[in-house]
């Protein structure tokens, strides 16, 4: 275990999968997070002392530099879906990404991987998409040989996409969605982790890679797949964008007036802007094929973790089988 990787945001949804894979490759792993005590679960990913959470604030130069010293590779997974206090889209996704890349160049770190998102666009009306694009530009300006990964919506056991709507479906006969006809290309979290690890340790050419799974479907169709897995019939109701903007504005205002005590976890105005655009791999973009990865389908993974939302949970298959038994 002679090589060291620093993973910023390494305890997050994607970061933990990357940390586990890097440990399996025999690397020492620094998981740089704001709350190390909340990230102790990453330690068992490797042998004792191989994977360690460390304190870091991506908004601070000294903090970023301290956890990067001695690293042979750096992977930045830090991102937010909603601003909270000083953690805004600009400070985290634009300035933070640029800070990591600049310091990596100053310390001559051999490899840098930046996790971005499909839809990153400097001209986008969405602060999320705009800041992602500005972060990419800052990374490439400071570290031209960096690898940028742009995944579509990511699914997996701990996701906040299918889990969120499956949870809603257990409580309501109606499933409201914004942008029901918007197209997505969901990508499995461990496939994204594999791409990041290859970029960190293998001969992956610099540049931008757009990562999408084998399935392209509308938001409505994805909800249909989810409902089939959890064995529930629900009305998928499309919320018009004008109504969604009003809802998002109201929820944003509530968060602002409560100084963040009540966080907007429903829908923000910025998310509504993103949902108005398809989230799929662009024609001609480099992707999984260029990395030698065969992406995982939705159907092969969803039943592995959405079963708990079925009416009978883990016993659904047993009850279905029992119906075929004849009474003696």
């Amino acid at each position: 275990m002679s090589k060291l990787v620093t993973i910023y945001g390494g305890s997050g949804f994607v970061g933990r999968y990357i940390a586990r894979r890097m440990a399996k490759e025999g690397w020492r792993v620094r998981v740089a997070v704001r709350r190390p005590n909340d990230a102790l679960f990453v330690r068992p990913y490797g042998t004792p002392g191989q994977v360690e959470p460390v304190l870091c604030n991506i908004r601070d130069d000294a903090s970023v530099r301290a956890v990067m010293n001695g690293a042979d590779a750096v992977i930045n997974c830090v991102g937010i879906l909603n601003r909270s206090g000083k953690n805004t889209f600009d400070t985290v996704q634009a300035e933070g990404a640029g800070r990591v890349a600049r310091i990596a160049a100053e310390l001559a770190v051999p490899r840098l991987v930046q996790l971005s998102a499909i839809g990153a666009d400097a001209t986008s009306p969405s602060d999320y998409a705009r800041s992602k694009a500005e972060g990419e530009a800052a990374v490439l300006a400071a570290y031209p040989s960096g690898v940028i990964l742009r995944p579509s919506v990511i699914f997996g056991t701990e996701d906040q996409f299918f889990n969120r709507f499956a949870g809603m479906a257990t409580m309501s006969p109606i499933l409201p969605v914004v942008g029901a006809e918007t197209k997505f290309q969901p990508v499995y979290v461990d496939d994204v982790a594999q791409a990041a690890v290859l970029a960190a340790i293998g001969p992956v050419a610099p540049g931008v890679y757009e990562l999408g799974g084998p399935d392209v479907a509308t938001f409505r169709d994805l909800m249909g797949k989810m409902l089939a897995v959890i064995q529930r019939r629900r009305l998928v109701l499309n919320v018009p964008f004008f109504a969604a903007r009003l809802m998002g504005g109201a929820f944003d205002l509530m968060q602002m007036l409560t100084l963040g005590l009540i966080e907007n976890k429903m829908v923000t105005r910025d998310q509504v802007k993103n949902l108005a655009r398809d989230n799929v791999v662009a024609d001609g973009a480099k992707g999984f094929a260029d990395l030698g990865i065969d992406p995982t389908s939705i159907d092969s993974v969803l039943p592995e973790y959405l079963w708990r939302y079925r009416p009978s949970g883990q016993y659904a298959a047993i009850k279905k089988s029992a119906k075929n038994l004849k009474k003696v």
Side-chain angles (χ1 to χ4, degrees), residues 230-232 306-319:
I230 67 173
Q231 301 172 4
R232 295 179 184 270
L306 291 186
W307 56 263
R308 60 186 181 273
Y309 298 103
R310 293 170 179 167
S312 301
Q314 61 184 321
Y315 302 108
I318 296 175
K319 290 185 67 174

Side-chain angles (χ1 to χ4, degrees), residues 68-90:
M68 195 187 297
N69 274 317
D72 298 283
V74 168
I75 304 173
N76 181 23
C77 304
V78 179
I80 58 174
L81 293 175
N82 186 17
R83 65 169 296 161
S84 176
K86 295 181 180 179
N87 293 315
T88 67
F89 290 118
D90 288 329

